[in-house]
Amino acid sequence: MLDMKWVRENPDILKDAAVRKRITVDVDALLKVDAEHRSLLSQVEQLRAELRASSKTLGKMSPEEREVALAGQKEKKAELKELERKEQSLREEVQRLALLLPMPPAADVPDGKDDLENLQLSTSGTAPVFPYEPKSHVELGEKLGIIDIPRGVRIAGTRNYLLLGDGARLEQAVLQFSIDHMAKRGFELVSVPTLVKNEAMVGTGYFPGGEEQAYMCERDSLCLVGTSEVSLTSIHTGETLNAADLPLRRIAVSPCYRREAGTYGKDTKGLYRVHQFWKVEQVVVGPADEEWSKEEHQRMLAHATDLMDLLELPYQVVNVCTGDLGQGQVQKFDIETWMPSRGGYGETHSASRFHDFQARRLNLRYRPEGGGKPQFCHTLNNTVVASPRVLIALLENNQNEDGSVNIPEVLQPYMGTERIQPSKGS
RNA sequence: GGAGAGGUGUCCGAGUGGCCGAAGGAGCACGCUUGGAAAGCGUGUGUGUCGCAAGGCACCGAGGGUUCGAAUCCCUCCCUCUCCGCCA
């Protein structure tokens, strides 16, 4: 959501933003409806004020006098109802169109059509060189008996899977390690709902537009989240927080659900694109301070890259281009981790900065230090770790010729072993 | 799921059709008082929106309705509490 006042004053910036983000939106139509709405609103308010005033005098009249005055009053009332109806439908139309407006990208976001034009910012580690033909995580997982895709599909359909034994334990290990990593950095762990109301989806910017990607429980008008960002960011919906309590730095571990509609035939092999996965997510709610917000964005990125360094995984950071930016995102940095089976980097993290886009939709504000008008907060989020995607990197990069997989040192205490070996009989 | 009771401003709480944007109290702010503090006294104290302003409009859980007029009456929904049932 954008400030309508700002929209009226800066239509050109908005149109440019839409073009750069490859989003179609009719700014002029919105401005036209908005102008109509505001003029009608002032008519409604004026008429209502007249009616109220004369109602007051009616109350003081004698019954005989009142009888006479009632007729004119009724007529005006009917007129008001008609105007109110029009006003409401215009207001809804303004609202509907305004929800589609894109947040202008930051100045240093590269222009581009899609993820192919994202700009590499840095790399860390080097892709391992294998003196033998390396196996994919699917082959490794099957051989080790820790990944079972066919039976996952039998239970739940395509893009589902089972992790067994050390596979499931490795997942828990990396999730728990990530939680501990973030706890050291002052993030509060929160256990959040993953079935949420429509308002939370709209508030965080996933709806309207992302309905196709979400599983809906229509009978209960609830929606399965694709990320705990939705719940974490929505916690203080409608509240006015105290400046002293900001920033709120929080993480959640949750299952994430994605329909992956429109991705048929894309990433069909293995665990790269699945319907359900676990993610530790970091969300920060802070003051309306662009500089602070940018710095926090970098800090949040660093929490994740530090984690990847500790996991000894090679990765690159990219500055996501305008065409690959979401409607509400001002700036986004992705971390892409080296995955030998892809012969390239695959996205494992996504760090987004929203300015006040989400906060406006959520009506999430704070009272500035020393009083004054409530301001909309700034919100940011980033992945800490997502599984099974991180497992792809862990298994493939750390494989040995015999099909066993080395566990990075930091995870060994969580696993209780240095290596995943093939279990008996396989 | 069944039966009942409720949802009013920062908080407590009054308010069953016009005199209510809302009594009273607490809290908070300022002032008086005091050597200082407490007590006491006085004054002030919701938000949003439109407007240069005066002021208008909206908001008493949410949405509809009745009425010239609704915090107050009616309907639907949400939430909280109590009892019963079921249950991880």
Side-chain angles (χ1 to χ4, degrees):
Chain A
M1 185 72 88
L2 281 78
D3 179 9
M4 273 310 295
K5 209 181 261 177
W6 184 90
V7 171
R8 288 194 280 272
E9 287 160 10
N10 301 281
D12 294 336
I13 296 181
L14 212 46
K15 288 176 191 172
D16 179 59
V19 170
R20 293 183 65 201
K21 280 191 166 180
R22 276 70 176 172
I23 289 172
T24 28
V25 50
D26 194 341
V27 179
D28 291 326
L30 169 63
L31 290 177
K32 186 163 164 271
V33 182
D34 174 58
E36 282 173 34
H37 171 248
R38 287 188 307 138
S39 111
L40 193 58
L41 183 62
S42 75
Q43 280 183 53
V44 165
E45 287 187 353
Q46 198 185 330
L47 189 55
R48 203 180 279 155
E50 284 171 26
L51 226 49
R52 269 180 75 159
S54 50
S55 270
K56 279 211 169 136
T57 67
L58 266 178
K60 290 181 186 128
M61 286 178 182
S62 64
E64 302 83 54
E65 289 175 312
R66 188 178 300 164
E67 204 59 38
V68 184
L70 270 176
Q73 194 76 351
K74 276 196 170 170
E75 212 171 290
K76 274 198 173 176
K77 182 62 194 293
E79 191 187 334
L80 176 62
K81 279 224 159 155
E82 184 56 30
L83 284 181
E84 279 176 333
R85 245 185 288 276
K86 280 188 197 156
E87 187 272 330
Q88 188 186 358
S89 80
L90 281 175
R91 174 159 30 98
E92 283 166 1
E93 183 65 2
V94 169
Q95 183 73 5
R96 191 185 68 78
L97 291 169
L99 280 174
L100 301 169
L101 294 175
M103 203 67 179
D108 51 336
V109 173
D111 222 352
K113 187 157 75 53
D114 54 33
D115 56 345
L116 295 175
E117 296 186 59
N118 292 343
L119 207 73
Q120 188 191 67
L121 290 177
S122 66
T123 59
S124 171
T126 48
V129 178
F130 298 97
Y132 50 88
E133 186 63 30
K135 299 181 182 64
S136 74
H137 64 283
V138 180
E139 297 169 85
L140 288 165
E142 277 172 6
K143 269 209 130 158
L144 292 169
I146 61 173
I147 297 174
D148 187 338
I149 292 175
R151 292 193 179 88
V153 171
R154 181 151 78 199
I155 297 169
T158 177
R159 293 199 193 285
N160 280 100
Y161 58 96
L162 295 163
L163 298 178
L164 302 104
D166 283 343
R169 295 188 60 235
L170 181 61
E171 176 173 66
Q172 291 301 313
V174 76
L175 292 173
Q176 190 57 51
F177 173 67
S178 303
I179 292 168
D180 294 347
H181 173 75
M182 293 306 285
K184 282 183 199 152
R185 297 177 179 220
F187 280 69
E188 179 189 22
L189 177 62
V190 185
S191 182
V192 296
T194 51
L195 248 187
V196 303
K197 295 190 197 168
N198 208 50
E199 290 86 275
M201 298 299 285
V202 173
T204 44
Y206 285 93
F207 291 177
E211 289 85 352
E212 284 298 298
Q213 282 307 317
Y215 287 102
M216 309 277 277
C217 300
E218 282 171 348
R219 189 159 65 152
D220 300 291
S221 303
L222 293 170
C223 207
L224 280 168
V225 297
T227 162
S228 61
E229 165 203 343
V230 173
S231 312
L232 279 176
T233 312
S234 299
I235 291 175
H236 297 287
T237 299
E239 295 183 33
T240 303
L241 304 167
N242 293 317
D245 296 331
L246 299 179
L248 296 168
R249 296 190 172 100
R250 289 173 168 151
I251 54 167
V253 213
S254 84
C256 303
Y257 300 91
R258 301 194 181 176
R259 290 187 70 235
E260 298 297 351
T263 60
Y264 303 113
K266 204 172 158 191
D267 308 311
T268 48
K269 269 185 292 180
L271 304 182
Y272 189 77
R273 194 173 294 280
V274 291
H275 285 311
Q276 179 185 337
F277 59 95
W278 286 90
K279 182 153 62 72
V280 180
E281 177 79 2
Q282 39 175 330
V283 165
V284 175
V285 173
D289 178 339
E290 178 109 40
E291 274 316 302
W292 170 85
S293 202
K294 283 181 182 171
E295 288 163 17
E296 187 69 12
H297 197 194
Q298 288 299 327
R299 280 189 286 271
M300 292 172 78
L301 179 63
H303 297 322
T305 53
D306 291 350
L307 182 91
M308 296 308 271
D309 290 336
L310 288 166
L311 291 175
E312 303 168 49
L313 292 170
Y315 62 88
Q316 65 175 5
V317 177
V318 301
N319 187 356
V320 172
C321 75
T322 54
D324 198 24
L325 223 48
Q327 181 203 353
Q329 294 160 349
V330 170
Q331 186 158 42
K332 177 159 74 171
F333 301 117
D334 281 357
I335 300 175
E336 300 176 345
T337 306
W338 183 259
M339 298 179 183
S341 67
R342 296 173 73 84
Y345 292 97
E347 179 187 327
T348 50
H349 297 66
S350 199
S352 307
R353 177 163 72 84
F354 284 90
H355 200 267
D356 61 8
F357 180 83
Q358 292 180 320
R360 281 182 183 278
R361 289 174 166 241
L362 292 165
N363 190 21
L364 169 55
R365 299 177 299 168
Y366 72 100
R367 200 172 291 283
E369 216 88 51
K373 282 205 166 214
Q375 306 277 312
F376 288 108
C377 297
H378 279 199
T379 62
L380 307 101
N381 63 65
N382 186 15
T383 316
V384 179
V385 83
S387 167
R389 245 181 220 194
V390 71
L391 300 187
I392 298 175
L394 285 170
L395 295 173
E396 294 183 359
N397 285 302
N398 297 322
Q399 63 181 291
N400 302 309
E401 190 165 10
D402 65 359
S404 65
V405 173
N406 303 330
I407 305 297
E409 214 177 305
V410 293
L411 293 184
Q412 288 173 13
Y414 294 85
M415 285 291 285
T417 177
E418 296 172 12
R419 185 165 305 156
I420 300 179
Q421 306 275 8
S423 51
K424 68 275 163 194
S426 50

